[in-house]
Amino acid sequence: MNLYRFIPALPLTMHRHLWRSFQGATLACALGIAPAQAQVRATAPPPAQWPATLAMAAPSPSHAPAPLQPLPAGVELGMGADALRDAVPGAARVPRPQRLAGGLAGLWRLEPVVIAGLSGAQTFFFSGRELRRVEFVADASDLADGGAAAFGALLAFGRNTYGPETAANDPSGSYAAWTQGGLEVYAQRVPAPRATVRWVIKQSEGKDASEL
């Protein structure tokens, strides 16, 4: 068969396909690369399109709980609601605020918060326009020790920070309180009917520990 007679009879698209194949084979031979290898390299996706698993091979660092401290970073008793929102952007307005004696209302809440290894909610109580009380409450009913270890960590922190505590131990739970300057701080663990651990920092009102 005469190739020169056959080629002109081919459609235009076939002419272009044969010409591109011929060019590719010629270029591969000139570079010392097999045509199949040249085709693989030509069709391989750029690095940005490689599987995402390659870029994610290194595990992301875990977020450890923040170190135990009297109040969240940037929060001070006596500050206003705007300053609180700036210091704790994740705090949300409480639809039905809890109300306590002295006109205190738990207007803002942040959760989840991890304190002493327990995950719970932190509520910010205002009286008038000032922050007067910060309360952390965690459900420890799923823990084998009912939150005993967490209460121990709070007790140790209180002793190291504020000195000897005013303690109360009875069948209803464990309680430790400190007073320093204008602050009143207490840790509480109630084992029943549902194990609960509480950590409270509030402005002093001149009351004794039994009234906190």
Side-chain angles (χ1 to χ4, degrees), residues 72-85:
V75 174
E76 296 179 358
L77 296 182
M79 71 191 326
D82 291 341
L84 174 68
R85 289 196 298 270

Side-chain angles (χ1 to χ4, degrees), residues 4-84:
Y4 293 100
R5 293 180 180 180
F6 173 73
I7 291 178
L10 294 176
L12 180 59
T13 55
M14 186 62 72
H15 270 290
R16 293 175 178 173
H17 177 74
L18 289 175
W19 178 245
R20 290 175 181 172
S21 299
F22 175 75
Q23 285 181 322
T26 302
L27 179 60
C29 292
L31 297 176
I33 304 173
Q37 293 176 338
Q39 183 178 3
V40 170
R41 293 184 181 181
T43 58
Q49 299 179 12
W50 289 350
T53 51
L54 295 179
M56 298 172 61
S60 58
S62 59
H63 296 281
L68 186 57
Q69 54 189 348
L71 290 168
V75 174
E76 296 179 358
L77 296 182
M79 71 191 326
D82 291 341
L84 174 68

Side-chain angles (χ1 to χ4, degrees), residues 63-69 110-122 136-138 150 154 199:
H63 296 281
L68 186 57
Q69 54 189 348
L110 180 66
E111 59 181 330
V113 175
V114 178
I115 293 180
L118 288 180
S119 178
Q122 199 162 42
F136 169 80
V137 180
L154 293 171
W199 175 248

Side-chain angles (χ1 to χ4, degrees), residues 5 11 52 65 76 87 109 115 123 152 154 161 166 170 211:
R5 293 180 180 180
E76 296 179 358
R109 180 173 298 155
I115 293 180
T123 304
L154 293 171
T161 306
T166 300
D170 54 52
E211 297 179 290

